[in-house]
Amino acid sequence: MNILQKIFTDYYEEIKYTLHPRDSEMENIDKMIHCGDPSFGGAMYGCPHCGKLKFVPFRCHSRFCPTCGNKYAMDRTTSMSFKLVNVQHRHCVFTIDENLRDFFLKDRSLLDCLFHSVLSVISRMFFKINKSKNFTPGFIMVLHTFGRDLKWNPHIHCLLSEGGYSDDGFWRNVKHFNYTYLRNAFRTALLNEMESKIGPSFKKIKAACYTEHKHGFYVYAKPNKCDPQNVIKYIGRYLGRPVIATSRIDRYDGHMVTFHYNRHEDDQYVEETIPAIDFIKRLIRHIPEKHFKMIRYGGLYARHRAVDHHLHRAVSKEKHPVFRSFNQWRTAILSSFGYDPLECPDCRRKMEFLQLYYNHQRVSLEKLYEKAMSKSRRNRSSA
């Protein structure tokens, strides 16, 4: 049991009956607490040479879990890198006024407005470059609802190609981004989107935002070392990370939690100690609604057209199996911790899969398959 599981287990009753979490929050909390619990099943491996046995429990596959969240981030990073065109990319961050944050917390459907606004701003910026050629960039948008201090701070990280591809197969490099346009256009697009969703009651807040942010909302879009060789590192660092890693939680005494972070403004090391229940509140609010897409693709990376197949990708198809192999359970542990989980500790031979255990029972793969298929058939017949 890791430190995060310990905190949530100790306060489970208080979370459920005092905080009244959303269904998606409670579902992910339950998954995370029981992640790696052998009673929920797993796989048995054995050494064919000496007979040594090893049981590997199932994982929860929740993005909220620090262990499974990292695995999810690795998988998403790999799949995103396969889409990238072999050109320079720029890492952009679209932020909002602090006074707007509570709107997104109270009504999470408004988070779609952030994606729509970024999409429209980028599309219009490239459309203005050459209307007749219709240059289309490729970009990936990822929603972060957290800051380094874990407080509610919704913003969009965007990986944007420094150039666009026209309908007639011509690529144009774009090195200059108009920051003034980006800031003003994003402010206008977002406020208009929110007003259309919220209604006339939002007009007063909208006017105040225009007054306080005469130069638009802050958009970071400066050139960075996001070339094809480093772009995958950028994706993993900024686009795929979970809310908090257990390595950032320093102490827990049953009542207070101490965690650290580097402050964004000056990169200063900060250590913060807060009550455990407040720490839990900060974390669970970042759990998205079920089926809500936190990662979305735009432009070239969202469409599937024959003309786009001529573009040279940053990772060739021949290398895809190699990149995917690094994400496999065995390879990931070997590269991260330096040991092979399926190597027999006694005779150093490779262990082989023996049986699958599910809910305290030994179950064959065929039975699990039959169970899943019968459930699928029942669902189809009742629909």
Side-chain angles (χ1 to χ4, degrees):
M1 180 179 286
N2 61 45
I3 189 169
L4 201 61
Q5 288 175 314
K6 174 66 174 170
I7 295 169
F8 276 81
T9 301
D10 290 349
Y11 283 82
Y12 185 82
E13 299 295 328
E14 191 168 348
I15 294 169
K16 190 170 183 178
Y17 300 110
T18 304
L19 298 184
H20 306 293
R22 294 174 287 123
D23 291 341
S24 60
E25 290 174 344
M26 204 65 230
E27 180 182 344
N28 279 274
I29 290 170
D30 285 332
K31 284 183 177 180
M32 184 269 294
I33 287 176
H34 299 298
C35 183
D37 187 342
S39 64
F40 284 83
M44 181 68 75
Y45 292 86
C47 178
H49 182 71
C50 67
K52 182 81 173 181
L53 297 177
K54 180 175 183 176
F55 183 76
V56 179
F58 291 143
R59 290 294 174 179
C60 67
H61 303 292
S62 168
R63 283 180 287 175
F64 182 63
C65 172
T67 302
C68 298
N70 279 325
K71 179 65 167 62
Y72 172 83
M74 289 169 60
D75 292 337
R76 293 305 303 175
T77 297
T78 302
S79 63
M80 281 190 278
S81 65
F82 293 163
K83 287 182 173 286
L84 299 180
V85 178
N86 191 32
V87 297
Q88 192 89 5
H89 284 71
R90 190 169 299 199
H91 175 218
C92 309
V93 185
F94 294 80
T95 62
I96 64 173
D97 182 357
E98 289 185 13
N99 297 322
L100 298 179
R101 294 176 183 174
D102 283 344
F103 285 96
F104 297 96
L105 183 60
K106 293 174 182 176
D107 183 2
R108 290 172 183 263
S109 66
L110 292 176
L111 292 171
D112 281 323
C113 297
L114 288 168
F115 286 108
H116 296 159
S117 302
V118 173
L119 176 64
S120 66
V121 168
I122 293 175
S123 299
R124 277 188 285 144
M125 183 179 75
F126 274 81
F127 180 73
K128 290 170 65 177
I129 293 173
N130 193 323
K131 299 178 182 178
S132 61
K133 288 283 186 181
N134 190 25
F135 287 103
T136 304
F139 53 101
I140 302 172
M141 300 171 288
V142 180
L143 172 65
H144 280 192
T145 58
F146 53 90
R148 296 183 182 181
D149 57 1
L150 305 181
K151 292 179 181 177
W152 180 257
N153 178 20
H155 56 282
I156 296 285
H157 285 262
C158 180
L159 195 67
L160 173 63
S161 64
E162 290 190 351
Y165 195 52
S166 65
D167 292 337
D168 59 357
F170 177 74
W171 181 271
R172 174 171 175 176
N173 289 317
V174 177
K175 296 296 183 183
H176 173 70
F177 284 21
N178 189 331
Y179 302 131
T180 303
Y181 168 79
L182 285 174
R183 294 187 183 109
N184 285 299
F186 177 61
R187 176 198 59 190
T188 302
L190 179 60
L191 293 177
N192 287 342
E193 283 270 353
M194 292 181 69
E195 185 181 12
S196 66
K197 293 274 189 180
I198 299 172
S201 61
F202 184 71
K203 286 186 177 180
K204 188 175 180 180
I205 301 293
K206 181 180 178 180
C209 286
Y210 275 106
T211 302
E212 294 178 18
H213 300 274
K214 295 180 180 179
H215 301 292
F217 293 156
Y218 179 69
V219 176
Y220 176 89
K222 294 181 180 179
N224 41 51
K225 295 179 181 179
C226 217
D227 54 68
Q229 286 72 37
N230 294 314
V231 71
I232 297 176
K233 295 179 182 178
Y234 257 82
I235 292 176
R237 182 178 179 185
Y238 292 104
L239 304 189
R241 61 193 178 95
V243 178
I244 191 171
T246 52
S247 58
R248 285 181 53 201
I249 305 175
D250 301 315
R251 290 182 298 279
Y252 168 60
D253 61 5
H255 303 285
M256 307 294 286
V257 177
T258 301
F259 65 99
H260 68 269
Y261 58 92
N262 285 34
R263 193 162 50 205
H264 180 74
E265 294 79 11
D266 52 10
D267 206 38
Q268 182 72 31
Y269 178 88
V270 178
E271 193 175 87
E272 191 171 346
T273 302
I274 58 176
I277 195 65
D278 291 338
F279 176 76
I280 291 169
K281 285 180 185 177
R282 286 198 194 182
L283 283 183
I284 64 174
R285 66 176 55 179
H286 303 298
I287 297 174
E289 292 296 326
K290 197 169 185 177
H291 306 307
F292 182 82
K293 294 182 179 179
M294 303 287 284
I295 302 173
R296 304 190 189 184
Y297 300 91
L300 293 176
Y301 301 150
R303 71 188 193 183
H304 303 280
R305 296 172 56 174
V307 68
D308 299 335
H309 293 165
H310 300 294
L311 288 167
H312 183 58
R313 303 288 168 172
V315 180
S316 63
K317 284 190 176 181
E318 292 76 16
K319 294 182 179 178
H320 288 191
V322 178
F323 276 72
R324 286 197 181 98
S325 68
F326 287 113
N327 291 355
Q328 294 175 358
W329 167 70
R330 183 184 178 190
T331 312
I333 291 181
L334 181 61
S335 60
S336 300
F337 303 106
Y339 76 94
D340 186 348
L342 293 185
E343 183 184 83
C344 178
D346 294 341
C347 64
R348 303 299 177 188
R349 303 288 184 90
K350 179 188 174 183
M351 292 180 136
E352 296 180 356
F353 172 77
L354 297 178
Q355 284 286 353
L356 200 68
Y357 290 84
Y358 183 72
N359 286 345
H360 306 279
Q361 296 179 349
R362 188 175 63 182
V363 182
S364 66
L365 292 173
E366 290 79 6
K367 286 185 178 180
L368 283 179
Y369 177 78
E370 290 173 2
K371 184 178 180 181
M373 290 302 295
S374 62
K375 183 178 180 181
S376 176
R377 285 193 292 268
R378 286 198 304 270
N379 290 339
R380 289 200 301 268
S381 62
S382 61

